[in-house]
Amino acid sequence: MESSYPSLLPVLWFVGAWALVNLGFVLARLVCRRTSDSVELVSPLHVRITTRALNGAVEAIAQSPRIARVLDGFYAAGVFVGVASMVLCTGLLGIAAIQIAAAIGIRAGAALPSVDLWQPLVALAGGSAGYTGPAEGPEPRLGRRLAGDAQVLQPIIPGVTLPAGHLWHYLVALAACAVIHELGHACAAARARVPMRACGVFLLGIYPGAFVELCPRLVARSGVGRRLRIVCAGVWHNAVTALAVWALVRSGGLGAAFARAGWAQVTDAVVVTEVAGHSPLQGRLPLRSVVHRVDDVRLGNASAGFGATAIARWTGVLTAGGGRGSTDAGFCVDARANQDDGLCCEMSARFPLGESPDAAIFCFEMFARERLERAQSWCFDLRAVLAQSARCRTSRECLRGDVCVVPRAPYASGRALRLYYRAPGSRREEMLVYAGSPAELWLEVQVSSLEPRFAWLPLALPAGVETLLQYVLSFSLAFCLLNALPAWHLDGNLALKLLIAGSRRRQQADAGVADKQAAPETQADGQDDPADDLGSGGQLLYTVVGTSTTVLLVWCAAGSILLLAL
């Protein structure tokens, strides 16, 4: 029997790598008597690399007369996108806070009220999405509708909510998005005549990041409008990156590039490029197999739903809660072949496949409409039924004494799936039965829409690049939205402060109270930072919005982690 404890190998690698880094810095101090200013060990788990080599290049690009007007318009548009992202993400944060609170209440067994006064909150939180958790009695109406499946914020924790095999994609994409974000601040600052003092990258634990250093005095002198462009430029760069990646993948440009490099496009199926070593399909589903159907959903059929492409339909079938629409008909089985041992149909959140020690049998129930008329269950040999039985929609279409049944799946983590595929070099269709979590199957089996024409081409390269671009798209949107929040220490907080200061200055100018020196964009030497002049009402608004948003963000982060524990 395999151990249920997680492997400690990743932890040992992590500790060992950082121990070597710290040892290297200690030896450098002993041997060289000093360490380089460009490489700094900030803390035992925080190393930072700083450089000034890129200062001239950024300055030259930003001040190029050929693109000066283009850059000014580009970063002016970034202000509108930054402010819109602030409003949008603040609303999404409120929805996420309500969803998480409702989900925690349900999973902790709290009895939430069911009154019409809650309906505005229900509508705000996304309508009638249902909660599919293992509740013991009737679920509270409010909790069921607020704690929908589509949670707005999902924590990304490598090895927990992120497949361990995607760790390198995750780190590279996160580093790239951080560099692009900081490049936006640097370029916008250079356009505002605020040169970059230094830039660099850092590694905190396993999380990479980037930074730029600007002169605070010159930033303060640049005025409210130009500072808004600098602050919003990072968010704007991430938004443009997300749009570019989406257009590249959506337009087929990525597939066309690989097609020219020696890969063939597969439009009506998906090609298996990798099967995780711990997957039950390891050794059963060969690499380079072409999967063209999952249950009764043909991946090449555009009318099947679940997405516009075969890859999208593969993802949709395996990640749709409850197996929505993946089975069009039942199976005719002789009811006398029932092998119920009293445990086969005892399904729960802990045992979604039943508690029977016999892994060959599975719980079945009546198909579709007959299920309402005849709530009965049987236990049959799973693979024999799915491979050999005739298909049906009602028991009347079967032989006398047969029933029209389908595998029972009250929990999304326990389903019986049929994968129809062709092995490499074969035209014969084969069927593989998988019993378990479809979401885990989706994570364990990597597929692609591209098949190499030559044996020497790496099979997993297109899927790896596509996965990397998916993470770049996701992280770019996350950087765009989360950094735009007016929470403390985020770009949106300073943007909110500048917006309030700019509004106050305009009111003063309209009232004829503003000083003549306050109108120009650039401040005189020694003048106070205009962003600090908020007035009593503006300061109150800034403090309330910043504090409340920070509290909501902390609550969502802590609540998401708590939901994982529950």
Side-chain angles (χ1 to χ4, degrees):
M1 182 176 179
E2 293 187 8
S3 172
S4 61
Y5 294 100
S7 172
L8 292 178
L9 186 60
V11 177
L12 294 177
W13 273 106
F14 175 80
V15 173
W18 275 109
L20 289 176
V21 169
N22 282 264
L23 179 61
F25 272 92
V26 171
L27 293 177
R29 290 193 186 97
L30 293 176
V31 174
C32 302
R33 301 293 182 181
R34 61 185 299 272
T35 58
S36 172
D37 294 335
S38 60
V39 182
E40 178 185 4
L41 185 65
V42 181
S43 69
L45 296 178
H46 183 188
V47 64
R48 183 171 66 175
I49 301 175
T50 307
T51 181
R52 294 177 176 82
L54 301 177
N55 293 12
V58 172
E59 183 75 15
I61 294 174
Q63 297 299 335
S64 174
R66 295 182 179 181
I67 59 173
R69 291 186 178 181
V70 175
L71 288 179
D72 287 339
F74 179 77
Y75 288 117
V79 174
F80 292 99
V81 172
V83 174
S85 298
M86 181 193 302
V87 176
L88 174 63
C89 195
T90 302
L92 291 176
L93 188 67
I95 296 174
I98 296 173
Q99 284 185 331
I100 291 173
I104 289 176
I106 289 176
R107 297 189 189 184
L112 297 177
S114 176
V115 293
D116 291 336
L117 293 176
W118 292 100
Q119 291 306 311
L121 294 180
V122 172
L124 179 65
S128 59
Y131 175 67
T132 57
E136 286 291 337
E139 296 171 359
R141 181 171 58 185
L142 172 68
R144 180 176 66 251
R145 301 184 70 179
L146 290 185
D149 292 332
Q151 189 173 310
V152 174
L153 292 181
Q154 297 283 356
I156 299 180
I157 304 174
V160 180
T161 61
L162 179 76
H166 290 187
L167 181 60
W168 289 111
H169 302 87
Y170 168 88
L171 295 177
V172 172
L174 185 59
C177 291
V179 169
I180 291 171
H181 181 92
E182 296 300 327
L183 182 62
H185 293 310
C187 290
R191 281 301 305 156
R193 305 290 181 180
V194 178
M196 182 174 65
R197 296 166 61 179
C199 64
V201 294
F202 65 86
L203 183 65
L204 179 62
I206 64 169
Y207 295 99
F211 64 91
V212 295
E213 294 179 1
L214 305 175
C215 177
R217 182 177 59 85
L218 294 179
V219 171
R221 289 177 53 198
S222 62
V224 173
R226 291 179 180 176
R227 286 184 68 181
L228 263 176
R229 296 182 186 183
I230 297 173
V231 171
C232 295
V235 166
W236 179 224
H237 269 217
N238 291 129
V240 172
T241 301
L243 181 62
V245 171
W246 177 84
L248 175 64
V249 176
R250 186 69 176 179
S251 65
L254 181 65
F258 274 108
R260 291 184 178 182
W263 279 265
Q265 185 81 34
V266 180
T267 58
D268 60 347
V270 295
V271 181
V272 178
T273 61
E274 182 181 353
V275 180
H278 63 275
S279 173
L281 296 183
Q282 175 63 243
R284 298 173 58 201
L285 184 62
L287 297 183
R288 297 178 183 264
S289 296
V290 178
V291 180
H292 59 87
R293 182 153 63 105
V294 179
D295 282 345
D296 295 327
V297 178
R298 294 190 177 275
L299 301 182
N301 184 6
S303 62
F306 296 102
T309 64
I311 288 281
R313 292 179 202 113
W314 164 269
T315 299
V317 171
L318 298 183
T319 57
R324 172 178 61 87
S326 63
T327 302
D328 294 338
F331 302 85
C332 291
V333 187
D334 188 345
R336 293 171 297 180
N338 185 19
Q339 303 178 35
D340 191 359
D341 58 0
L343 297 174
C344 171
C345 291
E346 293 297 321
M347 295 178 168
S348 61
R350 185 179 179 184
F351 299 101
L353 300 177
E355 300 185 29
S356 175
D358 188 353
I361 61 175
F362 200 86
C363 185
F364 287 76
E365 61 185 357
M366 301 297 292
F367 176 69
R369 189 175 300 175
E370 285 188 309
R371 190 181 310 155
L372 303 176
E373 304 170 356
R374 188 177 178 184
Q376 187 175 351
S377 58
W378 299 264
C379 292
F380 301 119
D381 186 295
L382 178 63
R383 286 165 178 78
V385 170
L386 299 185
Q388 303 172 10
S389 301
R391 304 303 299 274
C392 59
R393 295 186 181 275
T394 66
S395 297
R396 291 189 295 272
E397 299 177 6
C398 303
L399 298 176
R400 187 173 183 179
D402 287 5
V403 288
C404 186
V405 296
V406 290
R408 186 167 176 245
Y411 298 93
S413 57
R415 285 177 53 198
L417 294 173
R418 292 164 284 132
L419 302 181
Y420 296 88
Y421 70 96
R422 293 187 301 273
S426 173
R427 295 186 177 182
R428 184 170 62 91
E429 179 184 89
E430 300 183 47
M431 188 194 74
L432 184 64
V433 176
Y434 171 85
S437 169
E440 291 184 5
L441 170 62
W442 180 71
L443 294 174
E444 294 167 355
V445 178
Q446 301 299 311
V447 299
S448 173
S449 60
L450 294 165
E451 184 178 18
R453 295 192 184 99
F454 311 104
W456 53 268
L457 288 175
L459 176 65
L461 181 60
V465 172
E466 186 175 4
T467 301
L468 176 62
L469 290 179
Q470 288 174 350
Y471 277 110
V472 170
L473 175 60
S474 299
F475 288 143
S476 294
L477 291 174
F479 270 71
C480 177
L481 293 176
L482 291 180
N483 266 289
L485 278 172
W488 304 122
H489 306 298
L490 295 181
D491 292 343
N493 186 258
L494 182 54
L496 175 65
K497 187 176 184 180
L498 291 169
L499 287 172
I500 296 174
S503 176
R504 174 175 169 78
R505 286 162 61 83
R506 282 193 298 270
Q507 292 175 358
Q508 290 176 338
D510 292 341
V513 179
D515 185 82
K516 293 181 180 180
Q517 296 292 330
E521 275 286 300
T522 304
Q523 302 298 309
D525 288 334
Q527 189 170 349
D528 293 338
D529 188 347
D532 293 333
D533 183 18
L534 303 181
S536 57
Q539 184 65 47
L540 177 62
L541 175 63
Y542 170 71
T543 303
V544 170
V545 173
T547 303
S548 59
T549 308
T550 303
V551 170
L552 282 177
L553 186 60
V554 171
W555 159 249
C556 288
S560 298
I561 296 175
L562 181 59
L563 280 176
L564 292 176
L566 293 176

